[in-house]
Amino acid sequence: MMHEERLAALGLSLPPLPKPAFDYVPAVVERGLVWISGQLPRDAEGNLPVLGRLGAEVDVEAGRRAATLCALQGLAALRSVTGSLDAVSRVVKVTGFVASADGFIEQPKVIDAASNLLGQVFGEAGRHARSAIGVAMLPRNVPVEIEFVFALRDAG
């Protein structure tokens, strides 16, 4: 089963890609890699349904839902430059930023939700290197922001 088929079998659809609010692009293809800009946890309507910091206003489960939304946004950005998730040979790297209150240490558990989704969509090719980083604040007061690197299949 290819990646697009897996996404559909999971009952998932990708949200519309919002226009960048500042001077950057959502994704860049360079030398067989796709670099995805940091994605915020937007829902299908483009809203930010979860706001605040983990360990304060946001619990781990809400943080995991936010990470899943980031992953779906990342896949939408990926598809916008490749035309299909099937162009991907593997997920290379995930860097997750978690807005964290003092003493919060569950960043890996939060970002694991995005990693789990990528594994479901890409199978073994979804296994990736990863960083889960606690930060004081994130843009627009979101609890999670995630960037991605994907490798493309050889076009030759």
Side-chain angles (χ1 to χ4, degrees), residues 99-114:
S100 303
D102 286 346
F104 182 78
I105 59 170
E106 298 293 332
Q107 292 86 359
K109 187 173 186 178
V110 171
I111 300 304
D112 230 28

Side-chain angles (χ1 to χ4, degrees), residues 18-106:
K19 182 179 177 184
F22 299 98
D23 193 13
Y24 70 95
V25 294
V28 171
V29 180
E30 179 65 27
R31 298 177 193 232
L33 297 174
V34 183
W35 301 79
I36 306 295
S37 295
Q39 298 296 309
L40 303 184
R42 295 185 184 280
D43 63 17
E45 291 77 40
N47 300 315
L48 299 167
V50 183
L51 299 175
R53 294 178 303 147
L54 274 289
E57 305 86 5
V58 179
D59 65 21
V60 170
E61 284 311 309
R64 288 177 58 80
R65 287 191 301 276
T68 299
L69 291 174
C70 291
L72 291 170
Q73 282 292 149
L75 293 177
L78 173 66
R79 188 192 277 163
S80 78
V81 295
T82 63
S84 171
L85 302 182
D86 295 337
V88 171
S89 65
R90 78 165 301 124
V91 182
V92 176
K93 173 80 183 205
V94 172
T95 304
F97 302 93
V98 179
S100 303
D102 286 346
F104 182 78
I105 59 170
E106 298 293 332

